[in-house]
C-alpha cells in the first residue's frame, strides 16, 4: 500500500496528482516534463500557440449575453462563454493544438490517443492532419460500433483507428493499449491526453492550454461590463473546460466557482466522483477522487453525456474540493435534457449534452442570485453530435 496522502511537492495539488506509472512510461514522462519546462514560458512557443488558437481555432470565443435566458430566471445576468463556436465545436481543440505543437518541438512524428465517444480522438486527428503527423487512435471495439460517425471522421482526417478487443472493449482498455503503444514507441511518439487528468505534467499542461478561456472571460467582462462576474459555472468530465474557466480567477476567491458533474440516473448510476461517494485513489497515473468499491475496485461511471462519464477527476479539482476553493455539485440526465431544451428554445443555441449540465445547474443557482450580479457559464461545446441521442431519449423516431 502506497501512503500517497503523505506526499506533496512536485506535480502535486496538495496531496493529489503525482506520477503513478510503470518504469517504462516514467522515462517518457521525464522527457515530457523537461520539454514542457523549456517551452511553457518560451515566447516563441506561446506566440505560435496563440497564432493557431486565433487563426485555426477561432479564438477569442464570444462572451455572449443570454438575454432571454436571463429574463427566464429574472435574476442575475447570464453570459455564455461560447467555446461551442470554435473549430470542431468544443474547447478540446485548445488542448489538442497545444500538445501537438509541443510534440513537434520535441521532434515527435507520431501522436497517439485513446477515445471513448470519439470527441478527443477527432480533436487529436484534426491537429495531426494540420501538423502532418502520423496519428493512431485507440478505441474500444464496442465504442467503434457505437460511434461510427466519429470513426469515419477520424479516418477522413487521416488517422488510423485501432479497435481494442481486450477487457470490456471500452475506454479503459483503449487507454491501456494507447499507453502500451506509447511506451514501446517513445522515441518518435507523443501521447495526447484529452483532459486535465493523468500523471504529472499532464494536469498542469492541459490547464495551461485551457486557461485562455478564463483569461478571455476576465478581459471581455471588463470590456463589456467594467467589472468581473460573481459566479462561474462549468460542467466536469475530467475537468479541463472548468479548470480552463476557473484558473485565472483563483486569485479572486470572492468569485464563486461551480463544477457540475454528471448525476446520471440515481445514487448508483452516475459520474459523481467529487459530488457523490467518490474517495481518493489512484487511476491513470494520478491520485485523485475516484468512484470505487469499498475494497478499491474502480466503478464504471455513467452519464447520458459521453464526455462526462469518467470515474476519476483531474487532481487539481480534488484539491479545490478539499480546500473549498470551488463547489462541486451535479445534475441528473433528466435535468440536463431539460437544460438542453431550454437553451435551444430560449437562445437558439443547441448545447452539447456535457454543457447542458452546466446550463441545467442554473435551476439551482439562479434563485440564489441578485439582479445586479453576473453569472458566466462555459458553453463547452455545440450539441449537433447529441441531437440523435436526445431524440431517442425523448422517444422521437428520427430514423
Ligand atoms: C469532453 C467534453 C467535456 C468534458 O471534458 P472536461 O475535460 O471536463 O472539460 C465537456 N464538454 C464537451 C463539449 C466535451 O467535448
Amino acid at each position: 500500500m502506497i501512503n500517497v496522502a503523505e506526499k506533496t511537492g512536485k506535480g502535486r495539488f496538495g496531496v493529489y496528482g503525482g506520477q503513478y506509472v510503470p518504469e517504462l512510461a516514467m522515462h517518457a514522462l521525464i522527457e515530457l516534463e523537461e520539454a514542457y519546462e523549456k517551452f511553457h514560458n518560451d515566447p516563441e512557443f506561446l506566440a505560435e500557440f496563440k497564432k493557431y488558437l486565433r487563426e485555426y481555432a477561432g479564438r477569442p470565443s464570444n462572451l455572449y449575453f443570454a438575454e432571454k435566458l436571463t429574463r427566464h430566471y429574472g435574476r442575475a445576468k447570464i453570459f455564455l462563454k461560447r467555446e461551442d463556436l470554435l473549430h470542431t465545436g468544443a474547447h478540446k481543440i485548445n488542448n489538442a493544438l497545444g500538445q501537438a505543437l509541443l510534440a513537434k518541438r520535441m521532434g515527435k512524428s507520431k501522436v497517439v490517443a485513446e477515445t471513448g465517444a470519439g470527441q478527443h480522438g477527432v480533436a487529436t486527428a484534426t491537429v495531426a492532419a494540420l501538423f502532418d503527423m502520423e496519428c493512431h487512435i485507440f478505441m474500444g471495439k464496442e465504442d467503434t460500433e457505437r460511434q461510427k460517425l466519429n470513426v469515419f471522421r477520424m479516418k477522413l482526417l487521416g488517422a488510423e483507428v485501432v479497435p481494442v478487443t481486450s477487457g470490456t472493449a471500452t475506454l479503459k482498455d483503449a487507454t491501456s493499449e494507447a499507453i502500451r503503444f506509447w511506451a514501446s514507441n517513445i522515441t518518435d511518439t507523443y501521447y495526447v491526453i484529452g483532459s486535465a487528468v493523468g500523471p504529472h505534467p499532464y494536469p498542469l499542461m492541459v490547464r495551461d492550454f485551457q486557461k485562455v478561456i478564463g483569461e478571455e472571460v476576465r478581459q471581455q467582462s471588463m470590456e463589456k461590463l467594467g467589472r468581473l462576474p460573481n459566479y462561474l459555472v462549468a460542467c466536469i468530465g475530467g475537468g479541463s473546460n472548468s479548470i480552463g474557466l476557473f484558473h485565472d480567477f483563483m486569485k479572486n476567491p470572492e468569485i464563486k466557482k461551480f463544477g457540475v458533474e454528471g448525476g446520471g440516473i440515481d445514487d448508483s448510476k452516475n459520474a459523481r466522483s467529487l459530488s457523490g461517494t467518490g474517495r481518493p485513489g489512484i487511476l491513470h497515473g494520478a491520485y485523485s477522487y475516484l468512484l470505487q468499491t469499498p475494497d478499491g475496485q474502480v466503478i464504471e461511471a455513467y452519464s447520458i453525456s459521453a464526455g462526462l462519464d469518467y470515474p476519476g477527476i483531474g487532481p487539481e479539482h480534488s484539491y479545490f474540493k478539499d480546500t473549498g476553493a470551488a463547489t462541486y455539485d451535479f445534475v441528473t440526465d433528466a435535468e440536463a435534457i431539460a437544460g438542453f431544451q431550454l437553451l435551444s428554445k430560449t437562445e437558439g443555441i443547441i448545447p452539447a449534452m456535457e454543457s447542458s449540465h452546466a446550463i441545467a445547474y442554473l435551476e439551482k443557482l439562479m434563485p440564489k442570485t441578485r439582479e445586479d450580479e453576473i453569472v458566466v457559464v462555459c458553453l463547452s461545446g455545440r450539441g449537433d453530435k447529441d441531437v440523435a441521442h436526445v431524440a431517442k431519449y425523448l422517444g422521437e423516431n428520427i430514423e
Side-chain angles (χ1 to χ4, degrees):
M1 180 88 186
I2 315 162
N3 192 0
V4 273
E6 306 268 297
K7 304 208 170 155
T8 52
K10 192 193 81 174
R12 298 273 175 176
F13 305 94
V15 297
Y16 301 106
Q19 296 174 309
Y20 298 90
V21 297
E23 200 59 35
L24 206 57
M26 203 56 216
H27 297 295
L29 278 185
I30 290 167
E31 189 195 2
L32 177 61
E33 234 181 295
E34 285 170 359
Y36 190 62
E37 272 305 304
K38 185 164 156 207
F39 291 119
H40 89 288
N41 283 324
D42 176 36
E44 221 177 279
F45 177 81
L46 293 176
E48 198 183 10
F49 180 44
K50 261 202 177 141
K51 185 190 92 176
Y52 280 101
L53 287 179
R54 188 180 66 237
E55 303 293 329
Y56 189 71
R59 300 210 75 92
S61 66
N62 296 338
L63 183 66
Y64 167 74
F65 176 40
E67 202 173 338
K68 282 187 65 199
L69 191 63
T70 297
R71 232 182 290 146
H72 172 82
Y73 286 107
R75 299 279 177 153
K77 284 195 171 71
I78 302 167
F79 286 79
L80 304 176
K81 181 59 173 163
R82 300 289 308 272
E83 296 297 290
D84 62 315
L85 295 178
L86 299 180
H87 177 48
T88 69
H91 69 292
K92 283 194 173 71
I93 192 74
N94 304 325
N95 170 52
L97 279 170
Q99 290 197 51
L101 282 170
L102 184 65
K104 268 200 349 174
R105 297 262 165 158
M106 291 170 73
K108 310 287 182 187
S109 57
K110 295 182 192 162
V111 289
V112 60
E114 74 278 344
T115 196
Q119 296 303 110
H120 174 52
V122 170
T124 304
T126 299
V127 295
L130 176 65
F131 296 127
D132 214 5
M133 300 172 97
E134 197 180 302
C135 179
H136 302 262
I137 303 293
F138 288 82
M139 194 165 180
K141 181 123 199 313
E142 282 281 311
D143 291 331
T144 60
E145 278 153 22
R146 281 193 291 231
Q147 305 289 340
K148 289 203 178 101
L149 190 59
N150 274 340
V151 171
F152 185 64
R153 255 189 207 122
M154 288 183 263
K155 287 182 180 164
L156 272 180
L157 294 162
E160 190 207 348
V161 178
V162 188
V164 175
T165 51
S166 57
T168 52
T170 55
L171 182 62
K172 72 175 172 35
D173 311 292
T175 305
S176 312
E177 286 302 317
I179 291 173
R180 205 164 299 149
F181 183 93
W182 182 42
S184 43
N185 295 273
I186 279 168
T187 46
D188 62 358
T189 304
Y190 181 97
Y191 179 37
V192 186
I193 289 190
S195 188
V197 300
H200 175 71
Y202 283 103
L204 199 65
M205 199 164 73
V206 175
R207 179 189 83 191
D208 283 350
F209 292 143
Q210 293 290 2
K211 70 182 183 190
V212 62
I213 300 173
E215 289 170 352
E216 285 177 8
V217 167
R218 178 181 293 272
Q219 198 186 342
Q220 291 166 325
S221 184
M222 289 310 292
E223 279 166 13
K224 276 183 201 251
L225 308 157
R227 49 165 294 196
L228 296 178
N230 304 84
Y231 305 89
L232 305 174
V233 184
C235 68
I236 302 241
S240 72
N241 84 89
S242 48
I243 208 74
L245 174 65
F246 296 169
H247 181 70
D248 197 55
F249 294 102
M250 293 320 292
K251 53 182 176 259
N252 300 97
E254 74 285 4
I255 298 177
K256 296 204 172 73
K257 300 151 188 96
F258 296 91
V260 186
E261 298 189 305
I265 295 170
D266 56 27
D267 283 349
S268 62
K269 262 195 117 184
N270 59 64
R272 293 163 50 193
S273 30
L274 292 174
S275 62
T277 53
R279 284 178 297 116
I282 293 167
L283 178 70
H284 298 148
Y287 182 67
S288 196
Y289 276 80
L290 178 59
L291 296 177
Q292 53 183 314
T293 60
D295 56 354
Q297 297 299 313
V298 175
I299 298 174
E300 234 177 278
Y302 165 81
S303 165
I304 188 169
S305 160
L308 302 189
D309 115 15
Y310 183 64
I313 176 71
E316 193 166 14
H317 287 292
S318 290
Y319 178 62
F320 289 168
K321 173 185 160 77
D322 285 4
T323 55
T327 303
Y328 298 90
D329 206 337
F330 67 93
V331 307
T332 63
D333 285 359
E335 290 167 332
I337 290 276
F340 181 92
Q341 293 171 303
L342 176 66
L343 192 67
S344 300
K345 280 205 181 120
T346 54
E347 295 290 344
I349 298 171
I350 300 178
M353 268 316 293
E354 291 85 358
S355 324
S356 301
H357 285 69
I359 297 294
Y361 192 66
L362 295 173
E363 290 287 324
K364 293 189 191 176
L365 177 64
M366 296 314 291
K368 299 177 204 158
T369 67
R370 292 191 321 255
E371 272 173 53
D372 61 346
E373 292 183 315
I374 292 162
V375 177
V376 172
V377 180
C378 188
L379 202 65
S380 56
R382 65 173 182 233
D384 311 46
K385 68 181 178 61
D386 297 311
V387 168
H389 193 63
V390 172
K392 200 171 158 200
Y393 183 94
L394 296 172
E396 298 257 352
N397 185 359
I398 57 166
E399 290 295 293

